């Protein structure tokens, strides 16, 4: 699926992505500042998360509960120094927990990512809109 949208349309796009056959692990690929965290917040809103506040840049992972009682993990692996560090922290246990895992900067842990995953690539267009590809 490919879609181009403005920030005003982000919630509708998040709802559309969630209606697709997505996996429990979703990888987000985009340059710094394109809106990965903003889009993840929109996905979380559509799932009924009420208390999502910020990117887990310093903690690496934030845990949220959806309105249906499901657990959602949001990872920001940007500050991770090595894949070994991720393994030592037990990130693989989160990835294989069966809960929804939304992962920013997944290229930091290529060998820990489940084979069954969905990839979302985002690009910012010159007019400020975003182009999103779901695979």
């Amino acid at each position: 699926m490919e879609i181009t949208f403005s920030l005003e349309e982000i919630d509708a796009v998040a709802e559309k992505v969630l209606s697709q056959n997505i996996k429990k692990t979703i990888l987000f690929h985009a340059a710094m500042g394109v809106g990965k965290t903003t889009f993840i917040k929109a996905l979380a809103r559509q799932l009924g998360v009420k208390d999502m506040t910020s990117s887990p840049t310093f903690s690496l992972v934030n845990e949220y509960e959806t309105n249906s009682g499901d657990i959602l993990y949001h990872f920001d692996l940007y500050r991770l120094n090595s894949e070994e560090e991720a393994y030592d922290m037990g990130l693989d246990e989160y990835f294989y927990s069966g809960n929804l895992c939304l992962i920013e900067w997944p290229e930091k842990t290529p060998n820990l990512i489940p084979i069954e995953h969905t990839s979302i690539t985002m690009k910012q267009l010159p007019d400020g809109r975003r182009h999103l590809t779901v695979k």
Side-chain angles (χ1 to χ4, degrees):
M1 173 175 88
E2 290 193 37
I3 192 163
T4 299
F5 63 96
S6 67
L7 290 179
E8 292 78 25
E9 300 167 305
I10 197 166
D11 287 314
V13 173
E15 183 177 16
K16 187 171 186 174
V17 167
L18 290 170
S19 75
Q20 303 299 303
N21 185 23
I22 58 171
K23 305 296 182 193
K24 288 283 190 174
T25 302
I26 305 175
L27 313 180
F28 291 84
H29 303 279
M32 183 77 73
V34 169
K36 295 180 293 294
T37 298
T38 302
F39 191 72
I40 287 171
K41 286 181 180 182
L43 290 170
R45 278 193 302 275
Q46 294 305 309
L47 292 167
V49 172
K50 302 289 186 217
D51 60 348
M52 188 167 203
T53 56
S54 64
S55 175
T57 302
F58 294 100
S59 61
L60 295 181
V61 61
N62 285 343
E63 178 180 325
Y64 302 101
E65 187 174 337
T66 69
N67 61 3
S68 63
D70 294 327
I71 299 297
L72 178 155
Y73 294 117
H74 175 199
F75 299 87
D76 184 336
L77 305 181
Y78 182 75
R79 293 175 47 91
L80 202 62
N81 294 314
S82 70
E83 195 167 50
E84 183 176 321
E85 180 183 355
Y87 187 75
D88 289 345
M89 295 174 65
L91 290 186
D92 57 321
E93 293 178 27
Y94 287 100
F95 295 170
Y96 290 92
S97 68
N99 293 308
L100 186 60
C101 293
L102 309 176
I103 308 170
E104 297 183 54
W105 305 101
E107 57 275 7
K108 296 275 194 160
T109 60
N111 297 306
L112 297 180
I113 300 296
I115 292 172
E116 292 288 320
H117 65 265
T118 297
S119 288
I120 294 180
T121 303
M122 297 175 65
K123 294 181 182 174
Q124 185 169 354
L125 303 177
D127 64 4
R129 294 182 304 155
R130 296 337 190 244
H131 183 80
L132 182 133
T133 304
V134 180
K135 292 184 182 176

mmCIF file of all heavy atoms in Angstrom, residues 25 27 29 77 80 82-88 91-93 95-96 103 105-117:
data_model
loop_
_atom_site.group_PDB
_atom_site.id
_atom_site.type_symbol
_atom_site.label_atom_id
_atom_site.label_comp_id
_atom_site.label_asym_id
_atom_site.label_seq_id
_atom_site.Cartn_x
_atom_site.Cartn_y
_atom_site.Cartn_z
ATOM 1 N N THR A 25 4.819 -7.047 14.489
ATOM 2 C CA THR A 25 6.035 -6.240 14.525
ATOM 3 C C THR A 25 6.020 -5.319 13.319
ATOM 4 O O THR A 25 5.934 -5.784 12.182
ATOM 5 C CB THR A 25 7.292 -7.133 14.497
ATOM 6 O OG1 THR A 25 7.251 -8.022 15.610
ATOM 7 C CG2 THR A 25 8.559 -6.305 14.548
ATOM 8 N N LEU A 27 8.113 -2.215 11.506
ATOM 9 C CA LEU A 27 9.370 -1.475 11.422
ATOM 10 C C LEU A 27 9.117 -0.148 10.718
ATOM 11 O O LEU A 27 8.428 -0.104 9.698
ATOM 12 C CB LEU A 27 10.405 -2.278 10.634
ATOM 13 C CG LEU A 27 10.561 -3.755 10.993
ATOM 14 C CD1 LEU A 27 11.629 -4.392 10.122
ATOM 15 C CD2 LEU A 27 10.865 -3.932 12.465
ATOM 16 N N HIS A 29 10.902 3.006 8.834
ATOM 17 C CA HIS A 29 12.114 3.471 8.159
ATOM 18 C C HIS A 29 11.866 4.888 7.653
ATOM 19 O O HIS A 29 10.927 5.113 6.888
ATOM 20 C CB HIS A 29 12.462 2.563 6.975
ATOM 21 C CG HIS A 29 12.635 1.136 7.339
ATOM 22 N ND1 HIS A 29 13.802 0.641 7.888
ATOM 23 C CD2 HIS A 29 11.788 0.082 7.259
ATOM 24 C CE1 HIS A 29 13.671 -0.648 8.114
ATOM 25 N NE2 HIS A 29 12.458 -1.017 7.746
ATOM 26 N N LEU A 77 15.208 2.954 18.777
ATOM 27 C CA LEU A 77 16.526 2.336 18.935
ATOM 28 C C LEU A 77 17.670 3.238 18.488
ATOM 29 O O LEU A 77 18.813 2.803 18.411
ATOM 30 C CB LEU A 77 16.566 1.007 18.159
ATOM 31 C CG LEU A 77 15.475 0.007 18.526
ATOM 32 C CD1 LEU A 77 15.635 -1.266 17.704
ATOM 33 C CD2 LEU A 77 15.464 -0.293 20.011
ATOM 34 N N LEU A 80 20.841 3.273 20.555
ATOM 35 C CA LEU A 80 21.445 1.972 20.817
ATOM 36 C C LEU A 80 22.844 1.931 20.202
ATOM 37 O O LEU A 80 23.043 2.333 19.055
ATOM 38 C CB LEU A 80 20.563 0.887 20.188
ATOM 39 C CG LEU A 80 20.676 -0.506 20.723
ATOM 40 C CD1 LEU A 80 20.277 -0.553 22.198
ATOM 41 C CD2 LEU A 80 19.781 -1.429 19.933
ATOM 42 N N SER A 82 24.905 -0.948 20.037
ATOM 43 C CA SER A 82 25.216 -2.198 19.345
ATOM 44 C C SER A 82 24.042 -3.160 19.457
ATOM 45 O O SER A 82 23.198 -3.042 20.352
ATOM 46 C CB SER A 82 26.460 -2.860 19.953
ATOM 47 O OG SER A 82 26.171 -3.350 21.251
ATOM 48 N N GLU A 83 24.022 -4.114 18.563
ATOM 49 C CA GLU A 83 22.993 -5.139 18.621
ATOM 50 C C GLU A 83 23.166 -5.993 19.880
ATOM 51 O O GLU A 83 22.192 -6.433 20.481
ATOM 52 C CB GLU A 83 23.061 -5.999 17.358
ATOM 53 C CG GLU A 83 21.844 -6.848 17.160
ATOM 54 C CD GLU A 83 21.792 -7.442 15.775
ATOM 55 O OE1 GLU A 83 22.793 -8.031 15.335
ATOM 56 O OE2 GLU A 83 20.723 -7.336 15.150
ATOM 57 N N GLU A 84 24.404 -6.177 20.297
ATOM 58 C CA GLU A 84 24.670 -6.937 21.523
ATOM 59 C C GLU A 84 24.044 -6.239 22.727
ATOM 60 O O GLU A 84 23.488 -6.886 23.621
ATOM 61 C CB GLU A 84 26.179 -7.099 21.729
ATOM 62 C CG GLU A 84 26.524 -7.946 22.938
ATOM 63 C CD GLU A 84 28.018 -8.168 23.075
ATOM 64 O OE1 GLU A 84 28.699 -8.354 22.053
ATOM 65 O OE2 GLU A 84 28.486 -8.153 24.229
ATOM 66 N N GLU A 85 24.113 -4.910 22.758
ATOM 67 C CA GLU A 85 23.488 -4.146 23.838
ATOM 68 C C GLU A 85 21.978 -4.404 23.864
ATOM 69 O O GLU A 85 21.383 -4.573 24.927
ATOM 70 C CB GLU A 85 23.773 -2.652 23.648
ATOM 71 C CG GLU A 85 23.184 -1.763 24.699
ATOM 72 C CD GLU A 85 23.426 -0.288 24.425
ATOM 73 O OE1 GLU A 85 24.140 0.061 23.470
ATOM 74 O OE2 GLU A 85 22.878 0.527 25.185
ATOM 75 N N ALA A 86 21.365 -4.448 22.686
ATOM 76 C CA ALA A 86 19.926 -4.714 22.593
ATOM 77 C C ALA A 86 19.604 -6.110 23.117
ATOM 78 O O ALA A 86 18.634 -6.305 23.850
ATOM 79 C CB ALA A 86 19.460 -4.581 21.151
ATOM 80 N N TYR A 87 20.431 -7.068 22.752
ATOM 81 C CA TYR A 87 20.224 -8.446 23.203
ATOM 82 C C TYR A 87 20.378 -8.532 24.718
ATOM 83 O O TYR A 87 19.567 -9.166 25.398
ATOM 84 C CB TYR A 87 21.197 -9.385 22.496
ATOM 85 C CG TYR A 87 20.920 -10.834 22.783
ATOM 86 C CD1 TYR A 87 19.842 -11.485 22.181
ATOM 87 C CD2 TYR A 87 21.719 -11.551 23.659
ATOM 88 C CE1 TYR A 87 19.569 -12.811 22.459
ATOM 89 C CE2 TYR A 87 21.458 -12.882 23.949
ATOM 90 C CZ TYR A 87 20.379 -13.504 23.338
ATOM 91 O OH TYR A 87 20.108 -14.809 23.623
ATOM 92 N N ASP A 88 21.399 -7.877 25.263
ATOM 93 C CA ASP A 88 21.630 -7.883 26.709
ATOM 94 C C ASP A 88 20.461 -7.247 27.471
ATOM 95 O O ASP A 88 20.178 -7.624 28.605
ATOM 96 C CB ASP A 88 22.930 -7.145 27.066
ATOM 97 C CG ASP A 88 24.174 -7.911 26.647
ATOM 98 O OD1 ASP A 88 24.066 -9.126 26.342
ATOM 99 O OD2 ASP A 88 25.254 -7.281 26.611
ATOM 100 N N LEU A 91 15.693 -7.022 24.461
ATOM 101 C CA LEU A 91 14.748 -6.485 23.483
ATOM 102 C C LEU A 91 14.121 -7.582 22.633
ATOM 103 O O LEU A 91 12.965 -7.472 22.228
ATOM 104 C CB LEU A 91 15.416 -5.436 22.595
ATOM 105 C CG LEU A 91 15.769 -4.111 23.258
ATOM 106 C CD1 LEU A 91 16.290 -3.116 22.239
ATOM 107 C CD2 LEU A 91 14.605 -3.516 24.009
ATOM 108 N N ASP A 92 14.873 -8.655 22.387
ATOM 109 C CA ASP A 92 14.324 -9.751 21.589
ATOM 110 C C ASP A 92 13.102 -10.371 22.270
ATOM 111 O O ASP A 92 12.176 -10.828 21.603
ATOM 112 C CB ASP A 92 15.386 -10.800 21.287
ATOM 113 C CG ASP A 92 16.019 -11.382 22.534
ATOM 114 O OD1 ASP A 92 16.258 -10.639 23.499
ATOM 115 O OD2 ASP A 92 16.302 -12.607 22.525
ATOM 116 N N GLU A 93 13.070 -10.370 23.591
ATOM 117 C CA GLU A 93 11.912 -10.914 24.307
ATOM 118 C C GLU A 93 10.660 -10.071 24.042
ATOM 119 O O GLU A 93 9.562 -10.599 23.919
ATOM 120 C CB GLU A 93 12.207 -11.006 25.798
ATOM 121 C CG GLU A 93 13.279 -12.041 26.107
ATOM 122 C CD GLU A 93 13.630 -12.117 27.577
ATOM 123 O OE1 GLU A 93 12.761 -11.790 28.425
ATOM 124 O OE2 GLU A 93 14.768 -12.505 27.873
ATOM 125 N N PHE A 95 10.240 -8.314 21.242
ATOM 126 C CA PHE A 95 9.935 -8.513 19.828
ATOM 127 C C PHE A 95 9.157 -9.805 19.584
ATOM 128 O O PHE A 95 8.363 -9.890 18.657
ATOM 129 C CB PHE A 95 11.216 -8.538 18.987
ATOM 130 C CG PHE A 95 11.991 -7.242 18.957
ATOM 131 C CD1 PHE A 95 13.258 -7.215 18.410
ATOM 132 C CD2 PHE A 95 11.479 -6.060 19.464
ATOM 133 C CE1 PHE A 95 14.001 -6.040 18.359
ATOM 134 C CE2 PHE A 95 12.214 -4.875 19.427
ATOM 135 C CZ PHE A 95 13.479 -4.876 18.872
ATOM 136 N N TYR A 96 9.397 -10.821 20.400
ATOM 137 C CA TYR A 96 8.750 -12.123 20.226
ATOM 138 C C TYR A 96 7.661 -12.364 21.272
ATOM 139 O O TYR A 96 7.235 -13.493 21.478
ATOM 140 C CB TYR A 96 9.799 -13.240 20.260
ATOM 141 C CG TYR A 96 10.679 -13.215 19.034
ATOM 142 C CD1 TYR A 96 11.877 -12.510 19.036
ATOM 143 C CD2 TYR A 96 10.294 -13.856 17.865
ATOM 144 C CE1 TYR A 96 12.674 -12.456 17.901
ATOM 145 C CE2 TYR A 96 11.087 -13.806 16.727
ATOM 146 C CZ TYR A 96 12.272 -13.106 16.760
ATOM 147 O OH TYR A 96 13.042 -13.051 15.628
ATOM 148 N N ILE A 103 8.661 -0.237 15.941
ATOM 149 C CA ILE A 103 10.105 -0.080 16.111
ATOM 150 C C ILE A 103 10.668 0.992 15.177
ATOM 151 O O ILE A 103 10.675 0.831 13.955
ATOM 152 C CB ILE A 103 10.840 -1.413 15.868
ATOM 153 C CG1 ILE A 103 10.218 -2.518 16.729
ATOM 154 C CG2 ILE A 103 12.333 -1.259 16.125
ATOM 155 C CD1 ILE A 103 10.710 -3.918 16.381
ATOM 156 N N TRP A 105 14.044 2.937 13.921
ATOM 157 C CA TRP A 105 15.460 2.629 13.735
ATOM 158 C C TRP A 105 15.751 1.127 13.870
ATOM 159 O O TRP A 105 16.689 0.723 14.555
ATOM 160 C CB TRP A 105 16.351 3.454 14.672
ATOM 161 C CG TRP A 105 16.112 4.923 14.553
ATOM 162 C CD1 TRP A 105 15.374 5.710 15.407
ATOM 163 C CD2 TRP A 105 16.536 5.788 13.501
ATOM 164 N NE1 TRP A 105 15.342 6.999 14.948
ATOM 165 C CE2 TRP A 105 16.054 7.078 13.771
ATOM 166 C CE3 TRP A 105 17.306 5.589 12.350
ATOM 167 C CZ2 TRP A 105 16.288 8.173 12.942
ATOM 168 C CZ3 TRP A 105 17.542 6.678 11.516
ATOM 169 C CH2 TRP A 105 17.043 7.942 11.817
ATOM 170 N N PRO A 106 14.977 0.264 13.209
ATOM 171 C CA PRO A 106 15.183 -1.184 13.327
ATOM 172 C C PRO A 106 16.506 -1.661 12.735
ATOM 173 O O PRO A 106 16.970 -2.756 13.070
ATOM 174 C CB PRO A 106 13.998 -1.779 12.559
ATOM 175 C CG PRO A 106 13.666 -0.723 11.545
ATOM 176 C CD PRO A 106 13.904 0.580 12.267
ATOM 177 N N GLU A 107 17.126 -0.834 11.901
ATOM 178 C CA GLU A 107 18.409 -1.225 11.310
ATOM 179 C C GLU A 107 19.505 -1.369 12.370
ATOM 180 O O GLU A 107 20.558 -1.949 12.106
ATOM 181 C CB GLU A 107 18.836 -0.254 10.210
ATOM 182 C CG GLU A 107 18.953 1.179 10.619
ATOM 183 C CD GLU A 107 17.636 1.954 10.575
ATOM 184 O OE1 GLU A 107 16.557 1.358 10.346
ATOM 185 O OE2 GLU A 107 17.694 3.179 10.771
ATOM 186 N N LYS A 108 19.235 -0.891 13.579
ATOM 187 C CA LYS A 108 20.197 -1.035 14.678
ATOM 188 C C LYS A 108 20.230 -2.472 15.216
ATOM 189 O O LYS A 108 21.178 -2.852 15.896
ATOM 190 C CB LYS A 108 19.846 -0.081 15.830
ATOM 191 C CG LYS A 108 19.936 1.380 15.469
ATOM 192 C CD LYS A 108 21.345 1.857 15.623
ATOM 193 C CE LYS A 108 21.406 3.377 15.596
ATOM 194 N NZ LYS A 108 22.629 3.871 16.191
ATOM 195 N N THR A 109 19.177 -3.248 14.945
ATOM 196 C CA THR A 109 19.093 -4.625 15.460
ATOM 197 C C THR A 109 18.643 -5.598 14.370
ATOM 198 O O THR A 109 17.686 -6.353 14.561
ATOM 199 C CB THR A 109 18.105 -4.705 16.645
ATOM 200 O OG1 THR A 109 16.818 -4.293 16.184
ATOM 201 C CG2 THR A 109 18.541 -3.864 17.822
ATOM 202 N N PRO A 110 19.316 -5.640 13.237
ATOM 203 C CA PRO A 110 18.813 -6.446 12.118
ATOM 204 C C PRO A 110 18.658 -7.935 12.423
ATOM 205 O O PRO A 110 17.763 -8.584 11.884
ATOM 206 C CB PRO A 110 19.845 -6.211 11.011
ATOM 207 C CG PRO A 110 21.083 -5.801 11.736
ATOM 208 C CD PRO A 110 20.602 -5.041 12.941
ATOM 209 N N ASN A 111 19.490 -8.483 13.279
ATOM 210 C CA ASN A 111 19.430 -9.913 13.557
ATOM 211 C C ASN A 111 18.420 -10.282 14.643
ATOM 212 O O ASN A 111 18.193 -11.467 14.888
ATOM 213 C CB ASN A 111 20.812 -10.436 13.937
ATOM 214 C CG ASN A 111 21.783 -10.288 12.787
ATOM 215 O OD1 ASN A 111 21.529 -10.740 11.681
ATOM 216 N ND2 ASN A 111 22.884 -9.607 13.040
ATOM 217 N N LEU A 112 17.825 -9.290 15.283
ATOM 218 C CA LEU A 112 16.839 -9.552 16.328
ATOM 219 C C LEU A 112 15.399 -9.388 15.836
ATOM 220 O O LEU A 112 14.466 -9.826 16.495
ATOM 221 C CB LEU A 112 17.056 -8.616 17.522
ATOM 222 C CG LEU A 112 18.383 -8.738 18.265
ATOM 223 C CD1 LEU A 112 18.437 -7.739 19.419
ATOM 224 C CD2 LEU A 112 18.596 -10.142 18.779
ATOM 225 N N ILE A 113 15.230 -8.796 14.674
ATOM 226 C CA ILE A 113 13.892 -8.506 14.152
ATOM 227 C C ILE A 113 13.234 -9.808 13.690
ATOM 228 O O ILE A 113 13.831 -10.579 12.943
ATOM 229 C CB ILE A 113 13.978 -7.514 12.972
ATOM 230 C CG1 ILE A 113 14.622 -6.191 13.409
ATOM 231 C CG2 ILE A 113 12.615 -7.289 12.338
ATOM 232 C CD1 ILE A 113 13.853 -5.401 14.435
ATOM 233 N N PRO A 114 11.996 -10.061 14.109
ATOM 234 C CA PRO A 114 11.283 -11.250 13.644
ATOM 235 C C PRO A 114 11.150 -11.258 12.112
ATOM 236 O O PRO A 114 10.978 -10.202 11.491
ATOM 237 C CB PRO A 114 9.902 -11.135 14.299
ATOM 238 C CG PRO A 114 10.132 -10.277 15.497
ATOM 239 C CD PRO A 114 11.206 -9.311 15.088
ATOM 240 N N ILE A 115 11.221 -12.443 11.540
ATOM 241 C CA ILE A 115 11.073 -12.574 10.087
ATOM 242 C C ILE A 115 9.697 -12.077 9.658
ATOM 243 O O ILE A 115 9.565 -11.399 8.646
ATOM 244 C CB ILE A 115 11.299 -14.032 9.647
ATOM 245 C CG1 ILE A 115 12.762 -14.400 9.864
ATOM 246 C CG2 ILE A 115 10.885 -14.243 8.200
ATOM 247 C CD1 ILE A 115 13.088 -15.860 9.649
ATOM 248 N N GLU A 116 8.682 -12.403 10.444
ATOM 249 C CA GLU A 116 7.324 -11.952 10.163
ATOM 250 C C GLU A 116 7.153 -10.531 10.696
ATOM 251 O O GLU A 116 7.016 -10.326 11.899
ATOM 252 C CB GLU A 116 6.301 -12.885 10.824
ATOM 253 C CG GLU A 116 6.256 -14.268 10.223
ATOM 254 C CD GLU A 116 5.611 -14.264 8.849
ATOM 255 O OE1 GLU A 116 4.614 -13.540 8.657
ATOM 256 O OE2 GLU A 116 6.115 -14.975 7.973
ATOM 257 N N HIS A 117 7.205 -9.563 9.800
ATOM 258 C CA HIS A 117 7.034 -8.165 10.190
ATOM 259 C C HIS A 117 6.460 -7.361 9.034
ATOM 260 O O HIS A 117 6.454 -7.822 7.894
ATOM 261 C CB HIS A 117 8.357 -7.553 10.672
ATOM 262 C CG HIS A 117 9.397 -7.459 9.612
ATOM 263 N ND1 HIS A 117 10.357 -8.415 9.424
ATOM 264 C CD2 HIS A 117 9.623 -6.518 8.650
ATOM 265 C CE1 HIS A 117 11.131 -8.081 8.406
ATOM 266 N NE2 HIS A 117 10.706 -6.930 7.926
#
